[in-house]
Amino acid sequence: MTPRHPLTSGRAGAASAALALVLASAATGSPVSAAGGEGADVPQSTVYRSVAQFTTAGKPRDLLLHPDSKKLYVGSDDLPDTADVNESGLHVLDPADGKVRSTVDQAPGPTGTLGRRSVRQLLAPLPGDGAVFLYPLRGIGTAKDGDAAAAGAWVPGAAVTHATAGLTPSTVLVAQGPVLSEVDIAAAAVKRTVTLEGGDGFAVDAARGTVWFTDLAHRRMYRIDAASFQVTASVELPAGEGFGGFTEVDPETGAVWVGLDSSVVVHDATGKRLGTIRGAGGDMPRAAVFDATTHQAFVVWQDAGDGSQPGTDNDGTLTVHRTRDLQEVVKPVVLPGLHVQLGGAAVAVEPGGASVFVSDPVAGRITRLERATSPRVTRSPADRSVTAGTEVSLTAEAEGVPRPTVVWQVSTDAGRTWQAVAGATSPTYTFTAALSDNGRRYRAEFGNDAGVGRTAVATLTVTIPDPTTGGSGGGPSTTGGTGSTDGTGSGSTGSTGSSGSTGSTGSTTGGSDGGSAAGSGGTSGTPGSVGGASTGATVGGGNHTTPSGGALASTGATVATLAGSAVVLTAAGWVLLRRTRPRTTG
C-alpha cells in the first residue's frame, strides 16, 4: 500500500426488504401490505454501493485521484492473462466511466535510456495535474495526462522498498530497507539519511514535522523529527505474527494508523494508543486513506485467500470510520474476490466521500463505489377535513442519494397496517374524497438503495355536504301582530330563519262591538341563521307574550292562523259576558 498525500484521500449496500416492497408495488401498481407504525419512524442510513468496474488499466497497484484535475491516476503492472499486450505504466482514467485518457509507459532507466516501466506507487500529485511516482527498482518519475514519456531519475544505493511524499513539495522520502532518505525529485539526489534498527513502511505528518517509521520485525514504531532527521521516540506495537499492511497518518489530527495482521492499531500524534479496529473473519487491513471533509477513514481489508485458514471466503471489505472515535459509520461493504495472494489493494476517495475507488490486483479491476443515503423526509402531508365529493391533494417531499422513489400508503385500521395505493407514485397524491374515506390515514414512503423513509401520518375527516344553499342548518322564523282593543294593531319583527324566510302578515281582531283591525306584517327573517325568537301576538287587549321556539316557533303563516282562531274565540267569550252581566238601574 502506498502512503497517500493528504489531498489524494479517497461505497456497496443492499436495498432493504421494505424498499423491495415499495418498488414491487410501484412496478405492479397493486396494493401490498406494508409496515405499521405512525410514520416518520425510520432512521436515516448511509451505504456504499458498487456502480462500475474498470478493467482498462492492467494490474492496478496504486491509485491517486488528483485534487485539481479530478482525474484518476493508476499505477500498474502488466497482467499475465494478456500476453498479447503489455499494460504496465501510468494510466490516466476518467473517474466516471473508467475510460483511458492516456497512458505513460516510458520512463528513464539507470542510464537515462527510456523503456517500458511498471508503476508501483503514486507518491504525490503535481500542481494542476500529474503525479510523482515510484517505478522499479529505484526510479522516481513525474508525468501528467498526455505526456509521451515520464521524466525521472534513479536513487543511488539499494532497491527502494517504500516511498511517499516528502516534507517539502520538491522532495520525496524513500526507504531502502532500514535506511530512510530525503530525496530531491528532479535529480533523485539524496539530501539526508537516517538508519534505523529495521523498517517496513512509513508515513509523513508534514503539518507537525514528523515521520513515523514502522519496524514490524521488532514490533516497534519510531518517531523521526523532520528538522533534525533523528529518532526522538519509540512506540511499542502489539505482538503478532508480523504481517504489515500500511502505515498512514491522518493529516487532520496527526493520529497514526498501522495495519497489523488482522487489525488496525491507532495512536495519537504523541504516540499514545487510542484504540484498535478489528476486521471481520480474519481479513487483513491493506490500505487506508483519510477524508478531511467528512472526518472519516476508509480502510480496505483483504482476505487471506488461503482455504486452510478459518474464516477464509476470498472476499474483502471496505469499512468507514469516524476518525475521532474509530466507530464505523456505514455497514461494511463486501468486495468479492479481494484477497492478498497476488498483491495489495489500494484506495482513493473523492473529497467529501461521495465516490470511492478500490483496486483489485488479482482480478485486474478497479471498483467504483458511490455513497447512498436513505431518504430524509422534508415535508409530511397535513390532516384534512373536507366534505364528500371534494378533491383532496396530499403532498410529501424527501431528499436522498440516489433520488428516492415514492409510494403513497393508506391505513383503514388506525395505523396498525398499511396498504400501498395503486398508482400513487408521485410526491402529490390527488383523489376525490368519499364518505367511506372518513378516518383513513395516509402517509408517503420514500425509498432508494440505502433504505426507506416514511412521512408523518395525515388523517382525513369526511363529512356530509350541507343540503341547503344558505348554511349548515336552518331555524324557523315567526311573525306576529300586536292587536289592541281599540282596533289598531302592529306586526312584530320576524325571527331569524333559514334562507331568510319571510313572515306572513299577522292579524288581530279586537276593539269594542266586534271591531277588527289587521296588524302590519312582520319583517323577513335573517338568511342562513338558526333558531331566532319572535314576539307573540297580544290578543283581546292584553299583553300576553308567546315565547319563541317550541310549537309556536314555526312559520309566520302558522302563527297567523293560530292568532286568528284565538281572536275569534276571545270575541265570542266577550259577547257571552255581556249577555250574562246583570243590568243596573238607577
Side-chain angles (χ1 to χ4, degrees), residues 172-555:
V172 293
L173 294 177
V174 301
Q176 295 165 293
V179 179
L180 177 67
S181 301
E182 183 179 34
V183 176
D184 177 72
I185 294 175
V190 176
K191 302 178 67 173
R192 296 184 294 177
T193 64
V194 58
T195 301
L196 298 100
E197 185 177 359
D200 296 274
F202 61 92
V204 176
D205 183 1
R208 296 161 188 82
T210 302
V211 179
W212 290 94
F213 201 109
T214 53
D215 179 3
L216 296 181
H218 298 91
R219 309 301 283 190
R220 302 197 66 78
M221 183 168 61
Y222 305 101
R223 186 177 65 193
I224 300 170
D225 176 67
S228 64
F229 221 59
Q230 295 297 315
V231 176
T232 58
S234 177
V235 177
E236 184 176 353
L237 295 174
E241 298 176 3
F243 296 111
F246 59 81
T247 303
E248 297 283 4
V249 171
D250 178 3
E252 185 178 16
T253 66
V256 189
W257 292 50
V258 181
L260 292 173
D261 303 321
S262 59
S263 64
V264 177
V265 182
V266 183
H267 296 79
D268 69 10
T270 68
K272 177 183 177 181
R273 178 82 59 83
L274 295 177
T276 300
I277 302 171
R278 302 195 181 280
D283 287 352
M284 296 181 288
R286 304 298 293 178
V289 73
F290 302 93
D291 178 48
T293 303
T294 59
H295 313 289
Q296 294 174 351
F298 296 74
V299 181
V300 175
W301 307 72
Q302 289 181 262
D303 187 78
D306 182 355
S308 65
Q309 298 294 323
T312 295
D313 58 7
N314 282 333
D315 294 336
T317 53
L318 170 72
T319 59
V320 185
H321 308 264
R322 284 193 300 262
T323 54
R324 70 171 184 268
D325 57 12
L326 313 185
Q327 295 301 306
E328 283 187 352
V329 294
V330 301
K331 182 180 179 181
V333 183
V334 176
L335 301 172
L338 188 63
H339 59 77
V340 299
Q341 292 299 310
L342 293 177
V347 59
V349 59
E350 180 182 31
S355 296
V356 178
F357 302 86
V358 179
S359 68
D360 181 351
V362 177
R365 67 189 176 204
I366 300 166
T367 299
R368 175 181 174 176
L369 304 118
E370 288 188 355
R371 183 175 58 205
T373 55
S374 64
R376 183 179 70 87
V377 173
T378 58
R379 179 180 178 180
S380 289
D383 292 346
R384 296 291 306 275
S385 182
V386 300
T387 57
T390 300
E391 185 176 81
V392 177
S393 290
L394 302 176
T395 299
E397 296 175 356
E399 60 185 18
V401 179
R403 183 177 180 178
T405 58
V406 60
V407 170
W408 283 90
Q409 298 174 345
V410 62
S411 174
T412 59
D413 55 6
R416 288 187 292 275
T417 62
W418 293 84
Q419 301 291 323
V421 180
T425 56
S426 297
T428 297
Y429 170 41
T430 301
F431 60 99
T432 300
L435 284 176
S436 59
D437 295 326
N438 182 46
R440 290 188 173 184
R441 300 185 182 190
Y442 296 86
R443 71 184 183 188
E445 185 167 88
F446 293 88
N448 63 12
D449 288 348
V452 298
R454 292 189 287 268
T455 67
V457 172
T459 301
L460 180 64
T461 302
V462 185
T463 58
I464 302 174
D466 185 354
T468 68
T469 59
S472 59
S477 66
T478 61
T479 62
T482 303
S484 66
T485 58
D486 62 0
T488 63
S490 61
S492 65
T493 301
S495 66
T496 59
S498 63
S499 303
S501 59
T502 303
S504 64
T505 302
S507 65
T508 61
T509 304
S512 62
D513 300 324
S516 65
S520 61
T523 61
S524 63
T526 304
S529 59
V530 181
S534 66
T535 303
T538 302
V539 182
N543 291 325
H544 306 291
T545 303
T546 303
S548 64
L552 293 181
S554 58
T555 65

